Amino acid sequence: MTFSRNPFCAFFLLALLFLLLTVILKKWHFGLQESKPFGDAARPDGLTPASDRLLQQLVERQQELKLLDITFANIQSFMDPGLSRNDSVNPVKTDIGCEELSGIQAVDFLGSGYTKTVLKAALPEGLFVALKSVNHQGTDMRLCMEDFQDSQGCNELVSFKLRKEIVLLQRLQHPNIVELKGQCQDSALVGGITAVLEQGMPLQMIQLLQSPWEERFRICLGLVRLLQYLSRSPLGSVALLDFQPRQFVMVSGELKLTDLDDASIQEPACQEDSDCLLQFPHRNFTLRCSPSRICEGLNEMRNLYNAYRYFFTYLLPHQAPPLLKPLIQQIMNSTGDLKQGINETLVNFEEVLHVYKSGLHLENLPPSITRDYAVLKGMRSVANMEYRCWPSYNQQGCVLSVHSAREAALICNSHPQCTSFSLSSEKTWTGRLLASFRSGFSHLVPDVNSAVYMRRVKASGAVL
């Protein structure tokens, strides 16, 4: 048996390499030699107990970054043959480096947190990007300085989160993860470590609650696709330990994960099932301890339940199409009780998408429902008398997505003030049409991309 095909030999050598690395880092980091402890007093080598604790934390962070590299290399060598080529990619190469960053000017402040600051910047070609760097006035830096009074050491310690995020963004590539466009770790050129990301808009849950159901479903679908990828990523199963809406941004209508510094690629070790406990504010779940003494699937289930309590609960059921509500309720029940994993959940979401896009939920609508409307193709109404409906694509009127004229007629019939609607060539992300509903209009003008449907009036003057 050759070495390259023996996973036990590979694991043993990787573990030995990891141990040697730890010893070397402890001995040589900052040019300090190992020495015996001297209690709370200053040691002969000049290290104080506080400096020793800082050094230990730096070593641990270095080990965490090395573990990411070792894990990635190991999985690439012994990956499941069933994984596709896209699941086994090399770290992404970026075009923007230190030299390009030195000439970029920030144009706006986007936000800051405990560890990082995000600025909006314009590239020479006019593209806007987000520059993420260490927040030197942030909470993490302040607490470190209070503990250690070492500006250089604290800067390095706090910067590890951003360095880890860059490593993860290089290895985790998915449509629902922000794209890493560049990076620089040369402090002389850009003042410290900087990551260049595609720019997104912060997620605003209040605005999302007021948006059309179709857009809210898109966000949840993108999140489920992301979690399915993270459950079997090139780094293994990834848990988002700080799972909050603020960790995501919106890019062209798509939800994208932007903060990965608190991600974990390790599932907890266990001796019995009680060690595999998932605790949430109002629910607890216990998974089985596998024969390999690992809580297998715990990362996946943690992510899924957080998606349920932070996203699905607020965005999925409200204003869902009536004929889709049984499918939506099935998703809510299975994720709220963790009855199914992420693969089954994704299948359920894709089924809802298929039914919604194809109009299968409207099969029982009679074709005659549009007979009460006069159709004027190639025309568009002007000087409209708008009325508001909710949730609408236009806050000043009533614009909803429909599968066909039949569904639009059904909606117009349910609105007492609706006397006409129009369909244009404009479509949503699902391919559904956008219909504008109104209570009246002044006159019509030619428009080859539009059709106007007017409710017929009885001889008595009443609208049918």
Side-chain angles (χ1 to χ4, degrees):
M1 181 180 296
T2 64
F3 160 75
S4 62
R5 297 184 179 275
N6 190 334
F8 297 103
C9 293
F11 277 125
F12 175 77
L13 289 179
L14 286 172
L16 181 60
L17 175 63
F18 191 70
L19 179 61
L20 290 173
L21 175 66
T22 301
V23 173
I24 293 171
L25 282 171
K26 285 184 176 180
K27 186 171 183 179
W28 295 107
H29 196 80
F30 290 149
L32 299 173
Q33 297 288 341
E34 285 188 328
S35 60
K36 297 180 180 180
F38 281 81
D40 294 333
R43 300 174 352 180
D45 59 7
L47 278 180
T48 65
S51 298
D52 205 19
R53 294 198 309 273
L54 176 58
L55 179 58
Q56 181 60 36
Q57 290 191 34
L58 288 169
V59 170
E60 291 172 356
R61 299 300 185 276
Q62 288 279 13
Q63 291 173 349
E64 187 177 359
L65 291 180
K66 291 298 180 182
L67 178 61
L68 290 175
D69 289 331
I70 291 173
T71 302
F72 181 76
N74 180 58
I75 292 180
Q76 291 291 85
S77 300
F78 302 102
M79 62 177 290
D80 184 345
L83 294 179
S84 67
R85 186 177 299 274
N86 289 333
D87 294 320
S88 177
V89 295
N90 293 319
V92 62
K93 296 181 179 179
T94 54
D95 298 326
I96 303 174
C98 296
E99 184 176 350
E100 291 80 8
L101 273 177
S102 62
I104 293 179
Q105 295 295 322
V107 297
D108 196 7
F109 173 80
L110 297 180
S112 63
Y114 283 12
T115 309
K116 293 164 288 187
T117 294
V118 185
L119 302 175
K120 179 180 178 181
L123 300 180
E125 58 268 28
L127 176 68
F128 288 104
V129 294
L131 302 182
K132 188 177 287 190
S133 58
V134 174
N135 183 1
H136 296 284
Q137 284 74 46
T139 301
D140 283 356
M141 182 67 75
R142 177 177 57 80
L143 294 177
C144 183
M145 288 298 297
E146 290 176 359
D147 288 342
F148 305 117
Q149 291 83 45
D150 183 339
S151 58
Q152 180 181 353
C154 284
N155 183 70
E156 184 170 354
L157 181 64
V158 174
S159 70
F160 267 111
K161 280 195 172 185
L162 185 53
R163 290 178 59 189
K164 174 184 175 181
E165 190 164 274
I166 290 174
V167 171
L168 288 172
L169 287 172
Q170 288 176 321
R171 286 155 175 76
L172 300 177
Q173 301 165 48
H174 187 269
N176 295 103
I177 298 178
V178 291
E179 179 185 353
L180 178 68
K181 294 183 173 294
Q183 60 160 313
C184 177
Q185 301 192 36
D186 186 343
S187 60
L189 283 177
V190 297
I193 181 171
T194 300
V196 186
L197 310 173
E198 64 176 327
Q199 188 205 348
M201 297 298 294
L203 200 63
Q204 301 290 341
M205 291 300 289
I206 293 179
Q207 293 181 4
L208 289 179
L209 292 173
Q210 299 172 352
S211 65
W213 179 85
E214 185 173 326
E215 301 306 313
R216 288 182 271 128
F217 175 77
R218 181 183 187 182
I219 290 171
C220 294
L221 174 63
L223 179 58
V224 172
R225 288 172 173 170
L226 168 64
L227 298 187
Q228 196 270 346
Y229 168 78
L230 292 180
S231 72
R232 55 193 294 274
S233 81
L235 293 173
S237 181
V238 179
L240 304 178
L241 300 182
D242 187 18
F243 197 115
Q244 300 279 347
R246 63 173 178 265
Q247 310 298 330
F248 298 85
V249 294
M250 297 297 298
V251 180
S252 301
E254 285 284 356
L255 180 77
K256 297 204 175 192
L257 177 63
T258 187
D259 280 335
L260 293 92
D261 54 8
D262 288 310
S264 172
I265 63 170
Q266 293 179 303
E267 293 193 310
C270 58
Q271 294 298 322
E272 53 189 24
D273 291 353
S274 60
D275 296 329
C276 302
L277 179 64
L278 273 177
Q279 292 182 297
F280 299 98
H282 303 292
R283 290 291 302 271
N284 292 334
F285 301 93
T286 301
L287 279 65
R288 293 196 175 189
C289 181
S290 71
S292 58
R293 300 305 180 195
I294 297 293
C295 298
E296 291 182 1
L298 188 138
N299 287 349
E300 172 186 332
M301 291 304 187
R302 181 195 301 277
N303 290 341
L304 183 56
Y305 191 76
N306 278 326
Y308 163 80
R309 68 191 189 110
Y310 284 116
F311 287 88
F312 301 168
T313 299
Y314 301 104
L315 303 182
L316 268 186
H318 191 57
Q319 292 289 320
L323 298 176
L324 289 178
K325 285 187 176 179
L327 293 176
I328 298 298
Q329 193 58 48
Q330 178 183 344
I331 290 175
M332 298 301 294
N333 291 339
S334 62
T335 55
D337 293 329
L338 289 185
K339 295 177 180 177
Q340 295 181 333
I342 190 62
N343 290 333
E344 296 83 359
T345 301
L346 180 57
V347 169
N348 292 336
F349 267 87
E350 297 289 359
E351 180 184 1
V352 172
L353 178 63
H354 171 69
V355 172
Y356 187 65
K357 289 176 63 175
S358 63
L360 292 175
H361 61 301
L362 303 171
E363 285 183 335
N364 294 329
L365 282 182
S368 60
I369 194 171
T370 58
R371 291 179 184 173
D372 293 334
Y373 292 82
V375 185
L376 300 173
K377 295 185 178 181
M379 303 296 290
R380 172 171 55 86
S381 62
V382 295
N384 297 319
M385 298 172 60
E386 307 283 2
Y387 68 89
R388 295 182 181 182
C389 65
W390 187 83
S392 171
Y393 281 89
N394 182 349
Q395 300 302 317
Q396 304 304 316
C398 186
V399 180
L400 305 173
S401 79
V402 296
H403 177 262
S404 63
R406 284 193 301 158
E407 185 178 7
L410 177 68
I411 294 173
C412 189
N413 291 346
S414 68
H415 294 178
Q417 63 271 59
C418 181
T419 62
S420 67
F421 64 87
S422 60
L423 298 177
S424 68
S425 58
E426 190 175 1
K427 297 181 179 181
T428 67
W429 67 277
T430 62
R432 286 166 57 93
L433 302 170
L434 282 180
S436 299
F437 301 87
R438 61 189 63 87
S439 57
F441 57 86
S442 173
H443 58 280
L444 300 172
V445 296
D447 187 339
V448 296
N449 295 316
S450 176
V452 177
Y453 291 72
M454 298 186 299
R455 294 181 72 175
R456 301 181 188 274
V457 181
K458 293 182 178 179
S460 61
V463 177
L464 290 175

XYZ file of all heavy atoms in Angstrom, residues 175-178 198-204 207-208 211-223 225 248-257 311 315 393 428-430:
360
model
N -22.563 31.070 -4.906
C -23.301 32.272 -5.295
C -23.865 33.061 -4.129
O -24.149 34.258 -4.270
C -24.429 31.715 -6.183
C -23.892 30.437 -6.720
C -23.036 29.869 -5.623
N -24.025 32.425 -2.967
C -24.576 33.115 -1.809
C -23.514 33.450 -0.760
O -23.827 33.637 0.411
C -25.714 32.298 -1.190
C -26.899 32.170 -2.120
O -27.097 31.127 -2.739
N -27.667 33.239 -2.251
N -22.251 33.519 -1.201
C -21.151 34.021 -0.384
C -20.514 35.170 -1.152
O -20.266 35.058 -2.357
C -20.103 32.935 -0.097
C -20.719 31.773 0.686
C -18.918 33.504 0.679
C -19.757 30.626 0.963
N -20.237 36.279 -0.470
C -19.656 37.424 -1.168
C -18.336 37.031 -1.820
O -17.590 36.191 -1.302
C -19.441 38.624 -0.225
C -20.746 39.220 0.224
C -18.578 38.238 0.955
N -16.976 42.206 -2.938
C -18.062 42.825 -3.696
C -18.986 43.546 -2.726
O -19.228 43.074 -1.613
C -18.830 41.786 -4.506
C -19.570 40.736 -3.714
C -20.378 39.807 -4.601
O -20.889 40.257 -5.645
O -20.498 38.616 -4.248
N -19.476 44.687 -3.158
C -20.268 45.510 -2.253
C -21.713 45.038 -2.217
O -22.308 44.726 -3.235
C -20.224 46.978 -2.671
C -20.878 47.895 -1.657
C -21.370 49.182 -2.288
O -21.040 49.486 -3.420
N -22.178 49.932 -1.558
N -22.274 44.985 -1.025
C -23.677 44.647 -0.852
C -24.349 45.630 0.085
O -23.697 46.446 0.729
N -25.655 45.547 0.154
C -26.428 46.391 1.053
C -26.747 45.607 2.322
O -27.127 44.434 2.250
C -27.717 46.840 0.376
C -27.497 47.706 -0.857
S -26.636 49.245 -0.465
C -27.875 50.033 0.561
N -26.600 46.231 3.487
C -26.932 45.533 4.732
C -28.370 45.020 4.712
O -29.272 45.662 4.161
C -26.749 46.611 5.808
C -25.811 47.595 5.201
C -26.113 47.599 3.737
N -28.571 43.858 5.298
C -29.891 43.242 5.344
C -30.776 44.008 6.330
O -30.420 44.162 7.505
C -29.754 41.784 5.770
C -30.911 40.845 5.438
C -31.084 40.730 3.935
C -30.658 39.479 6.042
N -31.912 44.480 5.861
C -32.857 45.219 6.696
C -34.136 44.391 6.824
O -34.945 44.333 5.895
C -33.168 46.596 6.083
C -31.952 47.485 5.905
C -31.382 47.976 7.228
O -32.058 47.949 8.259
N -30.140 48.439 7.203
N -37.557 46.139 6.200
C -37.855 46.341 4.785
C -38.248 45.038 4.107
O -39.137 45.012 3.251
C -36.649 46.966 4.088
C -36.346 48.387 4.541
C -35.162 48.982 3.815
O -34.592 48.361 2.905
N -34.758 50.183 4.208
N -37.581 43.947 4.491
C -37.911 42.651 3.887
C -39.338 42.237 4.223
O -40.040 41.644 3.383
C -36.932 41.584 4.370
C -35.503 41.676 3.832
C -34.655 40.564 4.415
C -35.497 41.606 2.315
N -41.669 43.611 1.755
C -41.430 43.283 0.349
C -42.351 42.157 -0.107
O -42.909 41.417 0.715
C -39.963 42.888 0.155
O -39.668 41.698 0.858
N -42.546 41.986 -1.417
C -43.391 40.906 -1.935
C -42.908 39.535 -1.476
O -41.705 39.313 -1.286
C -43.278 41.067 -3.456
C -42.939 42.508 -3.664
C -42.070 42.874 -2.500
N -43.844 38.606 -1.328
C -43.512 37.269 -0.847
C -42.481 36.602 -1.743
O -41.582 35.908 -1.251
C -44.768 36.396 -0.786
C -44.478 35.006 -0.326
C -44.388 34.568 0.969
C -44.191 33.863 -1.153
N -44.058 33.232 0.991
C -43.938 32.767 -0.288
C -44.131 33.661 -2.526
C -43.633 31.496 -0.766
C -43.808 32.390 -2.999
C -43.578 31.320 -2.128
N -42.568 36.821 -3.029
C -41.638 36.186 -3.966
C -40.194 36.568 -3.665
O -39.283 35.735 -3.761
C -41.997 36.588 -5.397
C -41.174 35.900 -6.469
C -41.697 36.219 -7.860
O -42.924 36.371 -8.025
O -40.869 36.311 -8.786
N -39.953 37.822 -3.279
C -38.600 38.262 -2.951
C -38.148 37.690 -1.612
O -36.976 37.366 -1.424
C -38.541 39.795 -2.927
C -38.926 40.448 -4.245
C -38.122 39.912 -5.412
O -36.879 39.813 -5.288
O -38.725 39.582 -6.455
N -39.071 37.559 -0.678
C -38.724 36.960 0.609
C -38.409 35.482 0.450
O -37.501 34.946 1.080
C -39.868 37.170 1.607
C -39.978 38.618 2.083
C -41.088 38.791 3.101
N -42.362 39.093 2.469
C -43.493 38.436 2.694
N -43.504 37.411 3.524
N -44.594 38.791 2.092
N -39.162 34.814 -0.419
C -38.886 33.403 -0.686
C -37.515 33.234 -1.342
O -36.776 32.284 -1.042
C -39.968 32.806 -1.596
C -39.696 31.387 -2.013
C -39.922 30.341 -1.130
C -39.196 31.101 -3.278
C -39.649 29.033 -1.504
C -38.926 29.800 -3.653
C -39.158 28.753 -2.774
N -37.159 34.165 -2.205
C -35.843 34.111 -2.866
C -34.723 34.153 -1.845
O -33.718 33.438 -1.968
C -35.716 35.288 -3.845
C -34.399 35.331 -4.606
C -34.356 36.576 -5.483
N -33.181 36.579 -6.353
C -32.885 37.561 -7.192
N -33.686 38.630 -7.272
N -31.804 37.494 -7.953
N -34.868 34.986 -0.829
C -33.857 35.094 0.221
C -33.731 33.778 0.981
O -32.632 33.273 1.224
C -34.200 36.249 1.170
C -33.996 37.584 0.447
C -33.361 36.199 2.443
C -34.511 38.770 1.210
N -34.871 33.202 1.356
C -34.846 31.932 2.091
C -34.292 30.803 1.240
O -33.540 29.951 1.735
C -36.255 31.594 2.587
S -36.909 32.742 3.821
N -34.643 30.777 -0.041
C -34.127 29.749 -0.942
C -32.606 29.864 -1.078
O -31.885 28.856 -1.016
C -34.789 29.874 -2.316
C -34.267 28.955 -3.421
C -34.508 27.491 -3.062
C -34.916 29.297 -4.761
N -32.117 31.090 -1.249
C -30.670 31.286 -1.337
C -29.967 30.848 -0.070
O -28.875 30.263 -0.120
N -30.585 31.116 1.070
C -29.993 30.708 2.348
C -29.925 29.189 2.459
O -28.911 28.632 2.901
C -30.815 31.291 3.497
C -30.359 30.947 4.912
C -28.917 31.386 5.140
C -31.284 31.589 5.940
N -29.802 27.010 -0.009
C -28.769 26.535 -0.931
C -27.375 26.745 -0.349
O -26.491 25.900 -0.494
C -28.906 27.266 -2.271
C -30.118 26.819 -3.088
C -30.318 27.711 -4.305
N -31.369 27.196 -5.186
C -31.881 27.863 -6.223
N -31.424 29.091 -6.495
N -32.830 27.331 -6.968
N -25.179 39.016 6.851
C -25.518 38.869 5.436
C -25.734 40.244 4.797
O -26.054 41.214 5.477
C -26.790 38.030 5.268
C -26.679 36.627 5.783
C -26.906 36.335 7.125
C -26.330 35.585 4.936
C -26.804 35.045 7.613
C -26.224 34.293 5.411
C -26.453 34.014 6.744
N -25.568 40.283 3.478
C -25.866 41.484 2.701
C -26.696 41.071 1.490
O -26.805 39.880 1.162
C -24.581 42.205 2.237
C -23.808 42.753 3.425
C -23.701 41.278 1.396
N -27.271 42.076 0.825
C -28.024 41.845 -0.398
C -27.221 42.365 -1.576
O -26.743 43.499 -1.565
C -29.373 42.556 -0.343
C -30.296 42.058 0.752
S -30.778 40.330 0.546
C -31.649 40.407 -1.016
N -27.053 41.525 -2.597
C -26.359 41.898 -3.820
C -27.257 41.557 -5.004
O -27.495 40.385 -5.282
C -24.999 41.182 -3.958
C -24.300 41.611 -5.254
C -24.107 41.459 -2.762
N -27.798 42.589 -5.647
C -28.675 42.397 -6.816
C -29.814 41.435 -6.510
O -30.137 40.551 -7.306
C -27.863 41.897 -8.020
O -26.842 42.804 -8.346
N -30.422 41.590 -5.341
C -31.566 40.777 -4.965
C -31.232 39.446 -4.332
O -32.132 38.748 -3.862
N -29.953 39.067 -4.314
C -29.538 37.782 -3.740
C -28.963 37.986 -2.341
O -28.217 38.930 -2.088
C -28.479 37.106 -4.622
C -29.005 36.482 -5.899
C -29.734 35.171 -5.660
O -29.766 34.699 -4.511
O -30.256 34.616 -6.643
N -29.291 37.068 -1.448
C -28.709 37.051 -0.107
C -27.301 36.481 -0.185
O -27.080 35.444 -0.815
C -29.571 36.196 0.819
C -29.101 36.082 2.270
C -29.454 37.350 3.028
C -29.722 34.865 2.942
N -26.334 37.165 0.480
C -24.958 36.680 0.468
C -24.353 36.794 1.858
O -24.492 37.810 2.532
C -24.105 37.458 -0.539
C -24.569 37.291 -1.986
C -23.467 37.551 -2.966
C -23.925 37.270 -4.390
N -22.807 37.239 -5.365
N -23.663 35.731 2.262
C -22.949 35.716 3.532
C -21.677 36.545 3.392
O -20.904 36.359 2.455
C -22.598 34.279 3.908
C -21.783 34.057 5.182
C -22.539 34.522 6.413
C -21.394 32.578 5.310
N -34.964 33.609 9.887
C -35.420 33.936 8.542
C -36.787 33.334 8.200
O -37.726 34.063 7.887
C -34.376 33.490 7.504
C -33.137 34.341 7.483
C -32.075 34.058 8.312
C -33.041 35.432 6.633
C -30.929 34.842 8.305
C -31.911 36.223 6.608
C -30.855 35.930 7.449
N -40.189 35.434 7.222
C -40.274 35.727 5.805
C -41.126 34.762 4.995
O -41.637 35.140 3.930
C -38.857 35.760 5.198
C -37.869 36.753 5.833
C -36.534 36.700 5.109
C -38.431 38.165 5.817
N -44.673 45.720 -5.581
C -43.355 46.074 -6.104
C -43.208 47.588 -6.258
O -42.101 48.084 -6.408
C -43.117 45.395 -7.459
C -42.733 43.935 -7.336
C -43.701 42.940 -7.298
C -41.403 43.547 -7.262
C -43.353 41.605 -7.186
C -41.040 42.216 -7.153
C -42.021 41.239 -7.117
O -41.678 39.916 -6.991
N -40.074 39.046 -13.169
C -39.330 38.909 -11.916
C -38.254 37.840 -12.087
O -38.105 37.233 -13.153
C -40.266 38.506 -10.769
O -40.761 37.174 -11.016
C -41.445 39.463 -10.663
N -37.504 37.570 -11.017
C -36.415 36.590 -11.073
C -36.903 35.178 -11.369
O -36.134 34.342 -11.859
C -35.637 36.602 -9.757
C -36.420 36.112 -8.574
C -37.285 36.828 -7.818
C -36.399 34.792 -8.018
N -37.826 36.050 -6.819
C -37.296 34.794 -6.917
C -35.721 33.625 -8.334
C -37.528 33.660 -6.155
C -35.950 32.494 -7.561
C -36.838 32.521 -6.486
N -38.177 34.891 -11.109
C -38.733 33.565 -11.395
C -39.263 33.450 -12.814
O -39.673 32.363 -13.234
C -39.878 33.237 -10.424
O -40.925 34.201 -10.602
C -39.410 33.263 -8.983
